[in-house]
Amino acid sequence: MLDPVWLKTFLAVAETRSFTRAADRLGLRQSTVSQHIRKLEQATTQQLFQRDTHSVQLTPDGEAMIGFANDVIETMDRAMSYFTGGKLRGRVRFGASEDFVVGALPEILRGFRRSHPRVDLELTVALSGALHEQLRAGELDLMLAKRRPGEHADHPLWTDRLVWTGRAGTTAEPDGPVPLIAYPPPSITRACALNALQRNGKQWRIVCTSGSLNGLRAAALAGLGVTVFARSLIPDGLIELPPGHGLPDPGDVEFVLTARRSAMREPVLALSDAIRAQAGRLQDAH
């Protein structure tokens, strides 16, 4: 029999590619994580990971196990929700910044829906500036988005550096205008980039405007120009540009999880708690 605890440990190691990070995520000792993986490999009679002092990689059998493990865990979660009666009911209108369309957020939301199958979750993905406006207008109950540091007294989930990014080998002409790839207004990262350029007397030209993260990434991978992202959320294929490019510091950004006070019902609180409990995964999405 395959113990679900072993399977959950396996999935954590497969996602993080690290026994140490998996132990931190699961609240276990590293020796316990190693023991779970060893028992799972003994039960399946297959090696699931190739590991040395520097890396942890899935074997072909390990890749196959991901699908089986997810199916088993999802089936058990559905059974528990059914028999324990997912009693929580209601609707949550949740807004998430474009920054999280890839990474851990979809899996966190899937876990919430498995635990609370009777809660209607309505997801809006938009720019952070637009989400703030929708929250104020009462169109959202809960929002995960960026804001400028110090805009409100409540504590952010975390603070991150904004950095200039591009594809490997990107260069910028020191005397020419900066080719800028940006979200449209009211984007917070766009405003921070433009403010930094203005403060430092740098000229710029907008070479691409896109409302989607994938659009910005595609333009940067094509070599059209440079763009600004939070350091922890740089999309795959792009790199942080070194200081030698002469681009000004765009500053910090805060990530917040904010609910309307009038919307603090049990379903909203439950989703807020689920996201806060796994905020570390959101920072490590890329």
Side-chain angles (χ1 to χ4, degrees), residues 24-186:
D24 290 341
R25 176 182 295 184
L26 298 169
L28 300 173
R29 294 181 179 179
Q30 186 173 337
S31 60
T32 304
V33 170
S34 298
Q35 182 184 58
H36 288 175
I37 298 303
R38 184 171 61 255
K39 288 182 176 180
L40 184 59
E41 289 181 329
Q42 290 171 349
T44 59
T45 69
Q46 301 297 329
Q47 182 180 357
L48 303 177
F49 293 104
Q50 290 179 338
R51 45 200 183 271
D52 55 34
T53 56
H54 302 292
S55 66
V56 175
Q57 300 296 329
L58 285 160
T59 65
D61 287 317
E63 295 281 1
M65 177 59 77
I66 289 178
F68 294 127
N70 276 320
D71 288 345
V72 170
I73 298 303
E74 187 169 345
T75 299
M76 291 192 65
D77 286 347
R78 285 203 312 268
M80 289 300 294
S81 293
Y82 179 86
F83 288 111
T84 59
K87 296 182 177 138
L88 209 55
R89 296 175 180 267
R91 179 179 68 152
V92 180
R93 298 171 300 170
F94 174 57
S97 165
E98 271 285 332
D99 303 87
F100 301 106
V101 294
V102 295
L105 183 61
E107 186 179 340
I108 293 171
L109 295 181
R110 185 177 69 173
F112 175 82
R113 293 194 70 244
R114 286 202 305 262
S115 300
H116 306 289
R118 299 179 186 178
V119 173
D120 294 326
L121 180 60
E122 298 178 6
L123 175 64
T124 297
V125 177
L127 301 182
S128 291
L131 293 175
H132 283 281
E133 293 174 0
Q134 292 179 47
L135 189 74
R136 286 192 292 267
E139 297 168 4
L140 294 174
D141 303 313
L142 184 67
M143 171 196 72
L144 176 64
K146 297 190 296 289
R147 73 177 182 195
R148 295 179 181 86
E151 281 189 334
H152 301 284
D154 55 318
H155 294 292
L157 283 178
W158 75 89
T159 301
D160 205 350
R161 294 295 294 173
L162 292 175
V163 295
W164 293 95
T165 68
R167 72 173 185 181
T170 295
T171 59
E173 298 180 15
D175 299 324
V178 175
L180 185 61
I181 300 167
Y183 288 121

Side-chain angles (χ1 to χ4, degrees), residues 164-165 170-173 176-182 197 203-208 223-227 247:
W164 293 95
T165 68
T170 295
T171 59
E173 298 180 15
V178 175
L180 185 61
I181 300 167
L197 293 169
Q203 297 296 312
W204 72 87
R205 60 189 179 93
I206 304 292
V207 297
C208 174
L224 298 185
V226 296
T227 186
L247 296 168

